[in-house]
Amino acid sequence: THIATMVLHLVGLGLGDEKDITVKGLETIRRCTKIYLEAYTSILGVGLSMDTEGGGKGLAKERLEAYYGHEIIVADREMVEGAAESIIEEARTAEVAFLVVGDPYGATTHADIALRARQMGVEVNVIHNASIMNAVACCGLQLYTFGQAVSIVFFTDEWKPDSFYDKIKVNRQAGLHTLCLLDIKVKEQSIENMARGRAIFEPPRFMTINQCVEQLLYIEDLRKEQVYAEDTVCVGLARIGQSNQRIVSGTMKELLDVDFGGPLHSFVIPGEVHFMEKEYLDSFRIQNKDQP
């Protein structure tokens, strides 16, 4: 059924490319006056060559525009966090689409936008899609035995947050699997450029499974609470939802040396593994890694 004008549509794009959108999502986009693409909590596989300094006028934007038949405005962190209300205001008089990689509710940012829109009296229409939060089951571990997901951020010399360690500990004690979401740095500024007010941005960075494992082991070595170890069998997932996705299971030590290829990467630390889960997981063991 056709939804009246004056609606803010939050549209999930799925995980792969421009064709992962749902039919309902595509029909909605095609009748919108303005379309924003949120480009910092995640990024489509086709967008990994995005020229972030040029306002995102890269591969993803062009391919999405060609397929959806509509001009797209790339919304970076600054725009979403600073100008969300003006985007919502536009939806008072027109149909506005806010495109999100994965599912619209995959990040708290988008729940916040939906809440603010409702508070401002603007109708919100959400069109769901696949996200890593459910697609992670492709590694063979059952979704209902996952505990709290954790974010692993890039360590710096001065800042090595370890809050994820306690969450993994709680999950492991309860026999639950942990999905680790790896850091993405898009359109970030150096401390110096930020301090000088210069609009110069660092090249995009996407954390690899190898970097994630290094950081996990670093914190285990620091905390020594035996939450996991070098010989803990885990699973690395790369480019899930794309034709060249890769899944490899092995010990943390083994996975340190696996080249998973381009982004985006995710990582899972299994809890108690049911025999069926184990069989599926074993099909991705390092010696069998080329199996589909």
Side-chain angles (χ1 to χ4, degrees), residues 20-152:
D20 279 51
I21 193 164
T22 62
V23 174
K24 189 184 281 184
L26 187 58
E27 287 174 349
T28 300
I29 284 175
R30 286 183 172 161
R31 66 164 190 269
C32 282
T33 328
K34 217 155 190 188
I35 300 169
Y36 293 91
L37 170 65
E38 188 270 277
Y40 72 91
T41 60
S42 189
I43 197 161
L44 272 183
V46 294
L48 292 170
S49 64
M50 266 174 79
D51 163 24
T52 48
E53 283 191 41
K57 291 190 174 68
L59 186 58
K61 185 180 185 303
E62 284 169 12
R63 277 179 62 168
L64 293 179
E65 286 179 336
Y67 192 68
Y68 303 156
H70 213 302
E71 187 192 343
I72 289 169
I73 300 156
V74 175
D76 58 19
R77 183 191 295 269
E78 208 175 9
M79 182 188 284
V80 175
E81 292 178 354
E85 288 192 3
S86 64
I87 294 171
I88 296 166
E89 277 297 334
E90 288 173 346
R92 283 192 192 279
T93 52
E95 286 194 85
V96 175
F98 190 78
L99 313 185
V100 176
V101 175
D103 185 83
Y105 283 122
T108 49
T109 304
H110 313 129
D112 179 57
I113 286 170
L115 188 63
R116 281 158 75 179
R118 290 193 182 106
Q119 287 166 347
M120 289 166 68
V122 172
E123 189 183 340
V124 177
N125 175 43
V126 177
I127 299 171
H128 294 284
N129 211 320
S131 87
I132 191 63
M133 301 297 284
N134 64 303
V136 65
C138 67
C139 71
L141 296 172
Q142 295 297 311
L143 282 179
Y144 57 78
T145 45
F146 273 80
Q148 189 172 180
V150 299
S151 295
I152 311 292

Side-chain angles (χ1 to χ4, degrees), residues 35 61 104 127 132 184 188 192 199-200 202 205 232 263 272:
I35 300 169
K61 185 180 185 303
I127 299 171
I132 191 63
I184 293 172
E188 297 277 328
E192 187 191 348
I200 299 168
E202 301 297 297
R205 284 198 301 155
T232 302
E272 284 169 25

Side-chain angles (χ1 to χ4, degrees), residues 170-189:
V170 169
N171 285 347
R172 298 269 288 170
Q173 285 172 341
L176 302 173
H177 315 311
T178 307
L179 168 61
C180 302
L181 302 166
L182 311 193
D183 204 4
I184 293 172
K185 294 270 188 236
V186 180
K187 211 174 177 187
E188 297 277 328
Q189 285 180 287

Side-chain angles (χ1 to χ4, degrees), residues 231-266:
D231 62 356
T232 302
V233 174
C234 296
V235 54
L237 304 96
R239 298 171 304 284
I240 296 306
Q242 295 173 46
S243 57
N244 62 346
Q245 72 174 30
R246 187 159 189 220
I247 304 167
V248 183
S249 74
T251 64
M252 283 193 169
K253 192 175 183 181
E254 287 170 336
L255 294 178
L256 271 174
D257 299 320
V258 175
D259 179 4
F260 283 88
L264 296 170
H265 292 187
S266 303

